[in-house]
Short mmCIF file of all heavy atoms in Angstrom, two decimals:
data_model
loop_
_atom_site.label_atom_id
_atom_site.label_comp_id
_atom_site.label_asym_id
_atom_site.label_seq_id
_atom_site.Cartn_x
_atom_site.Cartn_y
_atom_site.Cartn_z
N VAL A 1 74.89 -36.07 -23.07
CA VAL A 1 73.62 -35.60 -23.63
C VAL A 1 72.44 -35.94 -22.73
O VAL A 1 71.60 -35.11 -22.44
CB VAL A 1 73.43 -36.19 -25.05
CG1 VAL A 1 71.96 -35.95 -25.53
CG2 VAL A 1 74.40 -35.61 -26.07
N ALA A 2 72.39 -37.18 -22.26
CA ALA A 2 71.28 -37.58 -21.33
C ALA A 2 71.28 -36.75 -20.08
O ALA A 2 70.22 -36.34 -19.64
CB ALA A 2 71.42 -39.06 -21.03
N ASN A 3 72.46 -36.51 -19.50
CA ASN A 3 72.52 -35.68 -18.28
C ASN A 3 72.12 -34.24 -18.54
O ASN A 3 71.47 -33.60 -17.69
CB ASN A 3 73.94 -35.77 -17.70
CG ASN A 3 74.27 -37.12 -17.13
OD1 ASN A 3 73.39 -37.90 -16.85
ND2 ASN A 3 75.55 -37.41 -16.95
N THR A 4 72.55 -33.74 -19.70
CA THR A 4 72.21 -32.32 -20.01
C THR A 4 70.73 -32.14 -20.31
O THR A 4 70.10 -31.15 -19.87
CB THR A 4 73.03 -31.88 -21.22
OG1 THR A 4 74.45 -32.08 -20.96
CG2 THR A 4 72.87 -30.37 -21.41
N LEU A 5 70.06 -33.14 -20.97
CA LEU A 5 68.66 -33.11 -21.12
C LEU A 5 67.98 -33.13 -19.79
O LEU A 5 67.05 -32.34 -19.50
CB LEU A 5 68.22 -34.33 -21.97
CG LEU A 5 68.52 -34.30 -23.43
CD1 LEU A 5 68.25 -35.64 -24.09
CD2 LEU A 5 67.68 -33.22 -24.19
N ALA A 6 68.37 -33.99 -18.90
CA ALA A 6 67.73 -34.11 -17.59
C ALA A 6 67.92 -32.84 -16.80
O ALA A 6 67.03 -32.42 -16.02
CB ALA A 6 68.36 -35.33 -16.83
N ALA A 7 69.03 -32.15 -16.98
CA ALA A 7 69.30 -30.95 -16.21
C ALA A 7 68.41 -29.78 -16.64
O ALA A 7 68.10 -28.92 -15.80
CB ALA A 7 70.76 -30.53 -16.35
N HIS A 8 68.05 -29.79 -17.90
CA HIS A 8 67.28 -28.61 -18.42
C HIS A 8 65.80 -28.88 -18.62
O HIS A 8 65.01 -27.98 -18.84
CB HIS A 8 67.91 -28.08 -19.71
CG HIS A 8 69.27 -27.44 -19.51
ND1 HIS A 8 69.39 -26.19 -18.95
CD2 HIS A 8 70.50 -27.86 -19.73
CE1 HIS A 8 70.65 -25.87 -18.81
NE2 HIS A 8 71.35 -26.90 -19.30
N LEU A 9 65.41 -30.17 -18.55
CA LEU A 9 64.00 -30.54 -18.52
C LEU A 9 63.57 -30.59 -17.06
O LEU A 9 64.31 -30.37 -16.18
CB LEU A 9 63.75 -31.87 -19.27
CG LEU A 9 64.07 -31.82 -20.78
CD1 LEU A 9 63.84 -33.21 -21.37
CD2 LEU A 9 63.19 -30.81 -21.50
N ARG A 10 62.28 -30.83 -16.87
CA ARG A 10 61.77 -30.88 -15.51
C ARG A 10 61.93 -32.29 -14.91
O ARG A 10 62.06 -33.25 -15.65
CB ARG A 10 60.29 -30.48 -15.53
CG ARG A 10 60.05 -29.07 -16.06
CD ARG A 10 58.61 -28.86 -16.49
NE ARG A 10 58.21 -29.83 -17.50
CZ ARG A 10 57.00 -29.91 -18.00
NH1 ARG A 10 56.03 -29.11 -17.56
NH2 ARG A 10 56.69 -30.87 -18.86
N PRO A 11 61.99 -32.34 -13.56
CA PRO A 11 62.28 -33.68 -12.98
C PRO A 11 61.28 -34.81 -13.35
O PRO A 11 61.63 -35.93 -13.38
CB PRO A 11 62.18 -33.38 -11.47
CG PRO A 11 62.47 -31.94 -11.32
CD PRO A 11 61.90 -31.28 -12.60
N TYR A 12 60.03 -34.40 -13.65
CA TYR A 12 59.02 -35.41 -14.02
C TYR A 12 58.91 -35.62 -15.50
O TYR A 12 58.09 -36.45 -15.94
CB TYR A 12 57.66 -35.02 -13.40
CG TYR A 12 57.22 -33.57 -13.68
CD1 TYR A 12 56.58 -33.27 -14.88
CD2 TYR A 12 57.50 -32.57 -12.74
CE1 TYR A 12 56.19 -31.95 -15.09
CE2 TYR A 12 57.11 -31.29 -13.01
CZ TYR A 12 56.44 -30.99 -14.18
OH TYR A 12 56.10 -29.65 -14.40
N ASP A 13 59.65 -34.93 -16.35
CA ASP A 13 59.66 -35.27 -17.77
C ASP A 13 60.38 -36.61 -17.96
O ASP A 13 61.31 -36.93 -17.20
CB ASP A 13 60.37 -34.19 -18.57
CG ASP A 13 59.59 -32.90 -18.56
OD1 ASP A 13 58.33 -32.96 -18.55
OD2 ASP A 13 60.24 -31.80 -18.66
N VAL A 14 59.91 -37.37 -18.97
CA VAL A 14 60.38 -38.69 -19.22
C VAL A 14 61.40 -38.68 -20.39
O VAL A 14 61.09 -38.18 -21.49
CB VAL A 14 59.29 -39.65 -19.52
CG1 VAL A 14 59.78 -41.07 -19.79
CG2 VAL A 14 58.30 -39.70 -18.32
N ILE A 15 62.59 -39.21 -20.13
CA ILE A 15 63.66 -39.30 -21.16
C ILE A 15 63.79 -40.78 -21.55
O ILE A 15 64.04 -41.61 -20.69
CB ILE A 15 64.96 -38.70 -20.69
CG1 ILE A 15 64.74 -37.21 -20.33
CG2 ILE A 15 66.05 -38.81 -21.78
CD1 ILE A 15 65.94 -36.54 -19.69
N VAL A 16 63.75 -41.06 -22.83
CA VAL A 16 63.80 -42.43 -23.30
C VAL A 16 64.96 -42.51 -24.30
O VAL A 16 65.13 -41.65 -25.18
CB VAL A 16 62.48 -42.78 -24.07
CG1 VAL A 16 62.57 -44.24 -24.58
CG2 VAL A 16 61.26 -42.55 -23.18
N ARG A 17 65.80 -43.57 -24.10
CA ARG A 17 66.80 -43.85 -25.13
C ARG A 17 66.12 -44.68 -26.22
O ARG A 17 65.90 -45.83 -26.04
CB ARG A 17 67.98 -44.57 -24.61
CG ARG A 17 69.17 -44.67 -25.61
CD ARG A 17 70.38 -45.28 -25.05
NE ARG A 17 71.37 -45.40 -26.13
CZ ARG A 17 72.52 -46.04 -26.04
NH1 ARG A 17 72.83 -46.68 -24.88
NH2 ARG A 17 73.32 -46.12 -26.99
N PHE A 18 65.78 -44.00 -27.30
CA PHE A 18 64.94 -44.63 -28.37
C PHE A 18 65.81 -45.54 -29.27
O PHE A 18 65.29 -46.54 -29.77
CB PHE A 18 64.28 -43.52 -29.15
CG PHE A 18 63.19 -43.97 -30.08
CD1 PHE A 18 62.01 -44.49 -29.51
CD2 PHE A 18 63.33 -43.94 -31.48
CE1 PHE A 18 60.97 -44.95 -30.34
CE2 PHE A 18 62.33 -44.37 -32.27
CZ PHE A 18 61.15 -44.89 -31.73
N GLY A 19 67.02 -45.18 -29.53
CA GLY A 19 67.89 -45.97 -30.37
C GLY A 19 69.35 -45.72 -30.02
O GLY A 19 69.63 -45.14 -28.98
N GLY A 20 70.26 -46.07 -30.90
CA GLY A 20 71.67 -45.92 -30.61
C GLY A 20 72.06 -44.49 -30.25
O GLY A 20 72.75 -44.24 -29.24
N ASP A 21 71.64 -43.51 -31.09
CA ASP A 21 71.97 -42.08 -30.81
C ASP A 21 70.77 -41.23 -30.78
O ASP A 21 70.81 -40.01 -31.02
CB ASP A 21 72.97 -41.58 -31.88
CG ASP A 21 72.39 -41.69 -33.31
OD1 ASP A 21 71.33 -42.27 -33.49
OD2 ASP A 21 73.03 -41.22 -34.27
N GLU A 22 69.61 -41.81 -30.48
CA GLU A 22 68.35 -41.09 -30.43
C GLU A 22 67.70 -41.18 -29.06
O GLU A 22 67.72 -42.20 -28.35
CB GLU A 22 67.38 -41.69 -31.48
CG GLU A 22 67.89 -41.60 -32.90
CD GLU A 22 67.09 -42.41 -33.87
OE1 GLU A 22 66.46 -43.42 -33.43
OE2 GLU A 22 67.07 -42.11 -35.10
N PHE A 23 67.06 -40.10 -28.68
CA PHE A 23 66.32 -40.03 -27.42
C PHE A 23 64.92 -39.45 -27.73
O PHE A 23 64.71 -38.70 -28.68
CB PHE A 23 67.00 -39.09 -26.40
CG PHE A 23 68.32 -39.58 -25.90
CD1 PHE A 23 69.48 -39.27 -26.57
CD2 PHE A 23 68.38 -40.36 -24.73
CE1 PHE A 23 70.73 -39.73 -26.11
CE2 PHE A 23 69.58 -40.83 -24.27
CZ PHE A 23 70.79 -40.48 -24.91
N LEU A 24 63.96 -39.84 -26.87
CA LEU A 24 62.64 -39.17 -26.84
C LEU A 24 62.49 -38.50 -25.50
O LEU A 24 62.91 -39.04 -24.49
CB LEU A 24 61.53 -40.19 -27.02
CG LEU A 24 61.37 -40.92 -28.34
CD1 LEU A 24 60.16 -41.85 -28.30
CD2 LEU A 24 61.19 -39.94 -29.50
N CYS A 25 61.90 -37.29 -25.52
CA CYS A 25 61.57 -36.65 -24.25
C CYS A 25 60.10 -36.36 -24.22
O CYS A 25 59.50 -35.77 -25.17
CB CYS A 25 62.31 -35.33 -24.18
SG CYS A 25 64.12 -35.45 -24.29
N LEU A 26 59.42 -36.86 -23.19
CA LEU A 26 57.99 -36.72 -23.07
C LEU A 26 57.69 -35.64 -22.04
O LEU A 26 58.07 -35.75 -20.84
CB LEU A 26 57.31 -38.02 -22.55
CG LEU A 26 57.89 -39.35 -23.12
CD1 LEU A 26 57.10 -40.54 -22.57
CD2 LEU A 26 57.89 -39.32 -24.61
N CYS A 27 57.09 -34.53 -22.51
CA CYS A 27 56.93 -33.34 -21.67
C CYS A 27 55.45 -32.98 -21.48
O CYS A 27 54.85 -32.32 -22.35
CB CYS A 27 57.70 -32.17 -22.28
SG CYS A 27 59.47 -32.53 -22.56
N GLN A 28 54.87 -33.50 -20.35
CA GLN A 28 53.48 -33.23 -20.08
C GLN A 28 53.29 -31.81 -19.63
O GLN A 28 54.03 -31.28 -18.80
CB GLN A 28 53.03 -34.21 -18.99
CG GLN A 28 51.53 -34.14 -18.73
CD GLN A 28 50.74 -34.89 -19.78
OE1 GLN A 28 49.92 -34.23 -20.49
NE2 GLN A 28 50.79 -36.18 -19.90
N GLY A 29 52.25 -31.11 -20.22
CA GLY A 29 51.94 -29.75 -19.83
C GLY A 29 52.86 -28.70 -20.38
O GLY A 29 52.82 -27.56 -19.97
N LEU A 30 53.69 -29.12 -21.36
CA LEU A 30 54.68 -28.17 -21.95
C LEU A 30 54.36 -28.02 -23.40
O LEU A 30 54.15 -28.97 -24.13
CB LEU A 30 56.04 -28.78 -21.80
CG LEU A 30 57.29 -27.82 -21.89
CD1 LEU A 30 57.25 -26.82 -20.68
CD2 LEU A 30 58.57 -28.57 -21.85
N VAL A 31 54.22 -26.78 -23.89
CA VAL A 31 53.96 -26.52 -25.30
C VAL A 31 55.23 -26.42 -26.07
O VAL A 31 56.33 -26.29 -25.49
CB VAL A 31 53.13 -25.20 -25.46
CG1 VAL A 31 51.75 -25.32 -24.78
CG2 VAL A 31 53.85 -23.97 -24.93
N GLU A 32 55.11 -26.39 -27.39
CA GLU A 32 56.27 -26.49 -28.25
C GLU A 32 57.30 -25.37 -28.00
O GLU A 32 58.51 -25.62 -28.01
CB GLU A 32 55.88 -26.53 -29.74
CG GLU A 32 57.02 -26.76 -30.69
CD GLU A 32 56.55 -26.97 -32.12
OE1 GLU A 32 55.31 -27.22 -32.32
OE2 GLU A 32 57.35 -26.90 -33.06
N THR A 33 56.80 -24.16 -27.86
CA THR A 33 57.74 -22.99 -27.70
C THR A 33 58.52 -23.15 -26.40
O THR A 33 59.70 -22.83 -26.35
CB THR A 33 56.99 -21.71 -27.69
OG1 THR A 33 55.88 -21.75 -26.71
CG2 THR A 33 56.38 -21.41 -29.07
N ASP A 34 57.86 -23.63 -25.35
CA ASP A 34 58.56 -23.82 -24.06
C ASP A 34 59.64 -24.90 -24.19
O ASP A 34 60.76 -24.77 -23.68
CB ASP A 34 57.62 -24.22 -22.95
CG ASP A 34 56.67 -23.09 -22.62
OD1 ASP A 34 57.06 -21.92 -22.77
OD2 ASP A 34 55.56 -23.36 -22.17
N ALA A 35 59.30 -25.99 -24.90
CA ALA A 35 60.25 -27.04 -25.11
C ALA A 35 61.45 -26.57 -25.93
O ALA A 35 62.61 -26.88 -25.64
CB ALA A 35 59.60 -28.19 -25.87
N ASP A 36 61.19 -25.73 -26.92
CA ASP A 36 62.28 -25.18 -27.74
C ASP A 36 63.22 -24.34 -26.89
O ASP A 36 64.46 -24.33 -27.12
CB ASP A 36 61.75 -24.32 -28.91
CG ASP A 36 61.26 -25.19 -30.08
OD1 ASP A 36 61.81 -26.29 -30.20
OD2 ASP A 36 60.38 -24.77 -30.82
N THR A 37 62.68 -23.57 -25.95
CA THR A 37 63.52 -22.73 -25.05
C THR A 37 64.43 -23.62 -24.25
O THR A 37 65.64 -23.29 -24.14
CB THR A 37 62.65 -21.88 -24.15
OG1 THR A 37 61.82 -21.03 -24.93
CG2 THR A 37 63.49 -21.05 -23.19
N ARG A 38 63.94 -24.68 -23.71
CA ARG A 38 64.80 -25.57 -22.87
C ARG A 38 65.80 -26.29 -23.72
O ARG A 38 66.93 -26.47 -23.28
CB ARG A 38 63.88 -26.57 -22.16
CG ARG A 38 62.99 -25.94 -21.08
CD ARG A 38 62.01 -26.90 -20.50
NE ARG A 38 61.18 -26.32 -19.46
CZ ARG A 38 61.49 -26.19 -18.20
NH1 ARG A 38 62.60 -26.69 -17.74
NH2 ARG A 38 60.65 -25.63 -17.32
N LEU A 39 65.42 -26.70 -24.95
CA LEU A 39 66.36 -27.39 -25.79
C LEU A 39 67.45 -26.51 -26.30
O LEU A 39 68.57 -26.97 -26.49
CB LEU A 39 65.59 -27.99 -26.99
CG LEU A 39 64.59 -29.12 -26.62
CD1 LEU A 39 63.64 -29.43 -27.74
CD2 LEU A 39 65.34 -30.40 -26.21
N ALA A 40 67.16 -25.24 -26.47
CA ALA A 40 68.21 -24.29 -26.82
C ALA A 40 69.25 -24.23 -25.72
O ALA A 40 70.50 -24.09 -25.97
CB ALA A 40 67.61 -22.90 -27.06
N LEU A 41 68.81 -24.27 -24.45
CA LEU A 41 69.76 -24.29 -23.35
C LEU A 41 70.60 -25.57 -23.35
O LEU A 41 71.80 -25.53 -23.01
CB LEU A 41 69.01 -24.17 -22.00
CG LEU A 41 68.28 -22.83 -21.76
CD1 LEU A 41 67.43 -22.94 -20.49
CD2 LEU A 41 69.30 -21.69 -21.69
N VAL A 42 69.95 -26.69 -23.73
CA VAL A 42 70.75 -27.95 -23.83
C VAL A 42 71.84 -27.78 -24.83
O VAL A 42 73.00 -28.13 -24.57
CB VAL A 42 69.76 -29.09 -24.20
CG1 VAL A 42 70.59 -30.37 -24.52
CG2 VAL A 42 68.78 -29.36 -23.06
N ASN A 43 71.51 -27.29 -26.04
CA ASN A 43 72.47 -27.14 -27.10
C ASN A 43 73.58 -26.14 -26.71
O ASN A 43 74.75 -26.29 -27.04
CB ASN A 43 71.84 -26.76 -28.41
CG ASN A 43 71.80 -27.91 -29.38
OD1 ASN A 43 72.69 -28.77 -29.37
ND2 ASN A 43 70.75 -27.97 -30.19
N SER A 44 73.20 -25.10 -26.03
CA SER A 44 74.13 -24.09 -25.58
C SER A 44 75.17 -24.68 -24.66
O SER A 44 76.36 -24.44 -24.73
CB SER A 44 73.43 -22.90 -24.90
OG SER A 44 74.37 -21.95 -24.42
N GLU A 45 74.73 -25.55 -23.74
CA GLU A 45 75.65 -26.20 -22.77
C GLU A 45 76.52 -27.21 -23.48
O GLU A 45 77.76 -27.31 -23.22
CB GLU A 45 74.86 -26.87 -21.65
CG GLU A 45 75.74 -27.49 -20.56
CD GLU A 45 74.95 -27.94 -19.36
OE1 GLU A 45 73.92 -27.35 -19.05
OE2 GLU A 45 75.47 -28.90 -18.70
N LEU A 46 75.92 -27.98 -24.35
CA LEU A 46 76.72 -29.02 -25.10
C LEU A 46 77.76 -28.39 -26.00
O LEU A 46 78.81 -28.98 -26.23
CB LEU A 46 75.73 -29.91 -25.94
CG LEU A 46 74.81 -30.84 -25.16
CD1 LEU A 46 73.84 -31.48 -26.14
CD2 LEU A 46 75.61 -31.89 -24.38
N ALA A 47 77.48 -27.18 -26.48
CA ALA A 47 78.41 -26.52 -27.38
C ALA A 47 79.79 -26.26 -26.70
O ALA A 47 80.83 -26.23 -27.41
CB ALA A 47 77.86 -25.21 -27.87
#
C-alpha cells in the first residue's frame, strides 16, 4: 500500500504511517478532485 501510494502521488507529497493500518497523505497544491483521481489509480492497482 505504501509503495503504491508513493507511485501514484507526487514525489514531494508526504506519506505518514498514522497508525497500524492507517496512513495520511499530505498533498500541497492538490485539490480534492485531483486527489480522488490519483487514489482511484491506487485502488485499481491494489485490486
Side-chain angles (χ1 to χ4, degrees):
V1 169
N3 289 341
T4 307
L5 286 169
H8 290 287
L9 295 176
R10 300 162 302 176
Y12 49 86
D13 291 329
V14 177
I15 301 174
V16 182
R17 188 175 178 191
F18 192 69
D21 58 353
E22 299 168 334
F23 293 89
L24 293 180
C25 303
L26 322 181
C27 305
Q28 187 74 247
L30 200 65
V31 296
E32 184 173 346
T33 53
D34 293 332
D36 280 333
T37 299
R38 292 175 180 272
L39 293 166
L41 293 174
V42 171
N43 254 329
S44 178
E45 183 172 331
L46 291 173

